Every structure is written in C-alpha cells, then in structure tokens.
Amino acid sequence: MADRLRAGYGAAPWHLIVVTAAIVLAGWVALRVAGEATAGRMLLWFLGAVIAHDLVLFPVYAAVDRVLRRLVRGRVALLNHLRVPALGSALLFLVYSPGILRLGETTHLAATGQDQRPYLVRWLLLSAALFLLSALTYLLRRRQVSPKRSERA
C-alpha cells in the first residue's frame, strides 16, 4: 500500500501527512483571522509582502548568490559559510529595520523610554560577529580536512 501511495503521490506517506497538517493549520489560522476587524488590512500586508519578496527581493538575492558562486568557483563549503551569516544578518535587519532605520522614533521613545540610536550599531556588530564566527568555523573545518580534500573546500 505504501509503495502504491508513493508511486501515485510521488513522496513518502509521512510527507502527505505533514503537508495535510500544514494545510489544516493554515486553514484554522485563516478562519481565526477572518473574524478579526483588521483582517482586510492583514491580507493587504500579506499580499504586499508576497509581491515585494517575489518581484524585488528574490531577484536581488538570487543575483547576489549567482555572483558569489562565480567568485568562490564551486567551493560549496565556503559559499555556505557566506550564505548562513548573510541570511542571519538579513533576517535580523528585516525584524529590527524600524529601529535600525529610526522609523517611529517618537512612538518608540514614548512606549519604551529608550532611544533607537543603538539599533544600527548593535545590528552591525551582531552581523560582523556572525560573519566572524562563520569564518572561524570555516577555517577550523579546513584545518581538520585532509590536504587532498582541502583543494575542493
């Protein structure tokens, strides 16, 4: 039976269960949000985020990744040690961009009693730390690899 399901569905039975559970969860969340007074605004923000990602961000980071792949010439380990901290830094920027860019400074000050000035410096320091940690990890991995394999890394 599992073989027939795999042949018809194209993946393992657990994959079908997980995908079904994700769809059920998304449907439940959609029903909960639909009752909210701001559901239309949330939907508009979601559609805007999808369009911004698919039409602006995806082509940008795909082009950057293509350039990086050319620069490292097939050394996948090095490429991944650049991708991971870049992704972490980009996600941190996305989450904290209002503070980093000092948007809503008066509202933030009124709500927290704190200034937004440290956000940019902290994001830059954290990004530098992510890249430094990744570089150290890459160098340690290269030292542990035999000389024969180090040419490919």
Side-chain angles (χ1 to χ4, degrees):
M1 173 109 173
D3 291 334
R4 280 192 3 206
L5 180 65
R6 182 183 294 272
Y9 176 65
W14 64 266
H15 185 270
L16 179 61
I17 292 168
V18 170
V19 168
T20 304
I23 291 171
V24 168
L25 178 65
W28 177 77
V29 169
L31 287 175
R32 298 283 301 198
V33 168
E36 294 290 322
T38 59
R41 249 175 49 192
M42 284 189 268
L43 181 62
L44 187 63
W45 270 100
F46 180 75
L47 290 175
V50 168
I51 291 169
H53 175 267
D54 291 352
L55 296 179
V56 178
L57 293 177
F58 181 75
V60 168
Y61 62 73
V64 169
D65 190 61
R66 192 174 301 121
V67 168
L68 279 175
R69 277 189 279 157
R70 283 191 191 133
L71 288 175
V72 299
R73 294 184 189 92
R75 295 182 297 188
V76 176
L78 176 60
L79 183 60
N80 288 337
H81 281 276
L82 291 171
R83 283 176 177 161
V84 170
L87 176 65
S89 181
L91 288 175
L92 284 169
F93 181 80
L94 183 65
V95 170
Y96 294 105
S97 60
I100 293 168
L101 301 174
R102 292 187 184 173
L103 302 175
E105 198 165 7
T106 55
T107 305
H108 184 271
L109 183 62
T112 65
Q114 297 180 0
D115 192 18
Q116 288 182 318
R117 276 183 265 158
Y119 278 82
L120 176 62
V121 173
R122 289 177 184 166
W123 173 70
L124 290 172
L125 288 173
L126 190 52
S127 296
L130 288 172
F131 278 97
L132 181 63
L133 182 63
S134 184
L136 290 173
T137 305
Y138 177 71
L139 291 174
L140 287 173
R141 285 182 67 196
R142 287 218 22 153
R143 279 186 81 191
Q144 292 174 351
V145 174
S146 66
K148 185 179 181 181
R149 283 188 54 201
S150 67
E151 294 171 6
R152 288 183 274 158

